[in-house]
Amino acid sequence: MDSLRSKENLNQFEKIFGKTNSSPRLFEAPARINIIGEHVDYLGGIVLPAAINFSVQVYLRPNQSETYQLHSIAYNETIPLKKPLRPNLQSSWTDYIAGVIVEIESLGHSVPGFDLLVDGNIPQGSGLSSSAALEVVTGYAISESFGLKISKEKIAIIGQKAENNFVGTKCGIMDQFIIAVGKENDCISLNTDTLSYSYHHFDLGDHEFYLINSNVKHNLKESAYNKRRSECESALQKIQANYPKWNQLYDVTLTVEELKKCGLTSEELKRTIHVISERERTKLVIKGLESNQLQSVGDSLFETHESLSKQFEVSCEETDFIVFHLKKLGVIGARMIGGGFGGCVLVLDKQNRFEKISEEMKKSYQQKFNIALDFYKFQISDGVKEISI
Ligand code: GLA
């Protein structure tokens, strides 16, 4: 992966915004993977994500004005924003920053003007959460630069609210949370109902996780995401009319026959089957990782993919093809990760098979879709932090 041009970006910052006697500070937030617990983080479910070593970096310097001057290296543009902040239809990358400012101010803090430069190497649309990383790094940079002392957990919630209210995607809390609190070599198990979490280090022995980027992003992603979420909410309402004891779809323990009697539509039924079966697979995966039974972990990953594809209907032809072929090549486990409709597949396999698998997969994917696949080995890394310069 490209390493970030921190030094060059500092020069660039001073070229665009001018040199003053105070230097900008540099902050960095990682990407994330999720081992298990997909599409359950807005339903009170358990998720098992980890931060990984792709990142978004921002330089930030207060500018003693009322303007937020934002520059993106990727888009090569500088956008000035003034209050009242509104979604920007032309340069929507600024929405992740503006949304965070609005959410911080809604907590009663004031966010004075600043100059900010952003750069990153998280492939966009890859399902590795480049937008959550931008939200979290912005929140942290503002909190540190203006002495607001907002906890990392709170910054995660601010990022999620920015995405829900300003950007308009009704995402759950997983991405922002792990990007905020991640720790080198550890994943977390996060209860998205209570937000309690713990760190876990799993020894994979002679096995490894890696990622395959399908390099496709289907554009129904945001609207379909919100639709899935509302289907889950309406399913819960119908279930509650018969069984008022359940507050979360994730906790429901009914059989398919019992669910059918609640009057769910076929979509609501399929979504519910995914959510409650994902709960059982999550237990198996945690147990398997703890006891080093990686074959059972891999089987659950394949089952999650099948469920995301057939029941939750958030996969696509390309990621289905990748997982199907990986299974034929005998990898231990694989599944799409993140919101879906393209993006990355997470693979679990024996360490010595990477070269062979990547060669064969690249060939068959190119033949079928005429698109190149990217393979990423990664390290589990820290959450958001300041980088000293
Ligand atoms: C996206 C969202 C997350 C989560 C995943 C699916 O990454 O941002 O909140 O819902 O999809 O698990």
Tab-separated table of all heavy atoms in Angstrom, residues 32 37-39 41-42 171-175 225 338-339, ligand 1:
chain	number	residue	atom	x	y	z
A	32	ARG	N	-10.481	-0.338	8.951
A	32	ARG	CA	-10.869	-1.452	9.823
A	32	ARG	C	-11.298	-2.680	9.008
A	32	ARG	O	-11.753	-2.571	7.884
A	32	ARG	CB	-11.994	-1.050	10.773
A	32	ARG	CG	-13.351	-0.768	10.139
A	32	ARG	CD	-14.357	-1.923	10.263
A	32	ARG	NE	-15.536	-1.699	9.474
A	32	ARG	CZ	-15.627	-1.965	8.187
A	32	ARG	NH1	-14.612	-2.472	7.529
A	32	ARG	NH2	-16.748	-1.730	7.540
A	37	GLY	N	-19.888	-10.668	12.662
A	37	GLY	CA	-20.905	-9.778	13.202
A	37	GLY	C	-21.195	-8.698	12.163
A	37	GLY	O	-20.921	-7.527	12.396
A	38	GLU	N	-21.731	-9.110	11.006
A	38	GLU	CA	-21.949	-8.121	9.934
A	38	GLU	C	-23.419	-7.748	9.850
A	38	GLU	O	-24.298	-8.624	9.906
A	38	GLU	CB	-21.456	-8.722	8.610
A	38	GLU	CG	-20.883	-7.712	7.644
A	38	GLU	CD	-19.591	-7.052	8.132
A	38	GLU	OE1	-19.658	-6.057	8.881
A	38	GLU	OE2	-18.516	-7.563	7.772
A	39	HIS	N	-23.630	-6.449	9.695
A	39	HIS	CA	-24.991	-5.890	9.645
A	39	HIS	C	-25.785	-6.225	10.915
A	39	HIS	O	-26.970	-6.531	10.851
A	39	HIS	CB	-25.744	-6.345	8.383
A	39	HIS	CG	-25.378	-5.511	7.194
A	39	HIS	ND1	-25.900	-4.267	6.964
A	39	HIS	CD2	-24.494	-5.738	6.190
A	39	HIS	CE1	-25.370	-3.757	5.859
A	39	HIS	NE2	-24.505	-4.624	5.366
A	41	ASP	N	-24.693	-4.194	13.818
A	41	ASP	CA	-24.244	-3.155	14.760
A	41	ASP	C	-25.249	-2.014	14.903
A	41	ASP	O	-25.016	-1.089	15.672
A	41	ASP	CB	-22.865	-2.613	14.377
A	41	ASP	CG	-22.870	-1.823	13.089
A	41	ASP	OD1	-23.711	-2.094	12.208
A	41	ASP	OD2	-22.023	-0.914	12.947
A	42	TYR	N	-26.339	-2.056	14.144
A	42	TYR	CA	-27.426	-1.100	14.395
A	42	TYR	C	-28.629	-1.839	14.954
A	42	TYR	O	-29.749	-1.345	14.937
A	42	TYR	CB	-27.793	-0.334	13.107
A	42	TYR	CG	-27.883	-1.200	11.862
A	42	TYR	CD1	-29.057	-1.839	11.514
A	42	TYR	CD2	-26.766	-1.399	11.052
A	42	TYR	CE1	-29.141	-2.633	10.382
A	42	TYR	CE2	-26.826	-2.211	9.924
A	42	TYR	CZ	-28.025	-2.811	9.593
A	42	TYR	OH	-28.101	-3.616	8.471
A	171	CYS	N	-25.711	4.405	9.336
A	171	CYS	CA	-24.775	3.336	9.726
A	171	CYS	C	-24.855	3.057	11.227
A	171	CYS	O	-25.348	3.879	12.004
A	171	CYS	CB	-23.355	3.732	9.360
A	171	CYS	SG	-22.752	5.127	10.315
A	172	GLY	N	-24.325	1.905	11.613
A	172	GLY	CA	-24.207	1.565	13.031
A	172	GLY	C	-22.946	2.197	13.608
A	172	GLY	O	-22.342	3.090	13.004
A	173	ILE	N	-22.504	1.686	14.753
A	173	ILE	CA	-21.402	2.319	15.492
A	173	ILE	C	-20.055	1.606	15.301
A	173	ILE	O	-19.013	2.124	15.668
A	173	ILE	CB	-21.757	2.383	17.015
A	173	ILE	CG1	-20.723	3.178	17.843
A	173	ILE	CG2	-21.930	0.978	17.609
A	173	ILE	CD1	-20.650	4.623	17.501
A	174	MET	N	-20.083	0.406	14.682
A	174	MET	CA	-18.863	-0.410	14.646
A	174	MET	C	-17.639	0.317	14.086
A	174	MET	O	-16.568	0.306	14.701
A	174	MET	CB	-19.120	-1.664	13.820
A	174	MET	CG	-17.878	-2.455	13.490
A	174	MET	SD	-18.235	-3.999	12.704
A	174	MET	CE	-18.634	-3.505	11.043
A	175	ASP	N	-17.785	0.923	12.906
A	175	ASP	CA	-16.594	1.436	12.209
A	175	ASP	C	-15.931	2.549	13.008
A	175	ASP	O	-14.718	2.532	13.241
A	175	ASP	CB	-16.979	1.970	10.820
A	175	ASP	CG	-17.645	0.917	9.967
A	175	ASP	OD1	-17.612	-0.263	10.358
A	175	ASP	OD2	-18.206	1.276	8.926
A	225	TYR	N	-28.448	0.255	2.006
A	225	TYR	CA	-28.066	0.109	3.413
A	225	TYR	C	-29.204	0.604	4.302
A	225	TYR	O	-29.649	-0.088	5.224
A	225	TYR	CB	-26.788	0.919	3.682
A	225	TYR	CG	-26.245	0.722	5.076
A	225	TYR	CD1	-25.223	-0.185	5.318
A	225	TYR	CD2	-26.772	1.422	6.165
A	225	TYR	CE1	-24.742	-0.376	6.603
A	225	TYR	CE2	-26.296	1.235	7.443
A	225	TYR	CZ	-25.270	0.333	7.655
A	225	TYR	OH	-24.801	0.140	8.927
A	338	GLY	N	-18.065	-5.514	5.676
A	338	GLY	CA	-18.576	-4.147	5.616
A	338	GLY	C	-19.994	-4.098	5.084
A	338	GLY	O	-20.740	-5.081	5.144
A	339	GLY	N	-20.356	-2.929	4.544
A	339	GLY	CA	-21.731	-2.693	4.103
A	339	GLY	C	-22.157	-3.571	2.936
A	339	GLY	O	-23.327	-3.952	2.835
B	1	GLA	C1	-20.924	-0.425	7.232
B	1	GLA	C2	-21.466	0.424	8.373
B	1	GLA	C3	-21.315	-0.296	9.716
B	1	GLA	C4	-21.856	-1.721	9.651
B	1	GLA	C5	-21.333	-2.455	8.422
B	1	GLA	C6	-21.997	-3.795	8.250
B	1	GLA	O1	-19.539	-0.569	7.344
B	1	GLA	O2	-20.809	1.664	8.433
B	1	GLA	O3	-21.936	0.445	10.726
B	1	GLA	O4	-23.251	-1.710	9.682
B	1	GLA	O5	-21.529	-1.699	7.224
B	1	GLA	O6	-21.720	-4.610	9.320
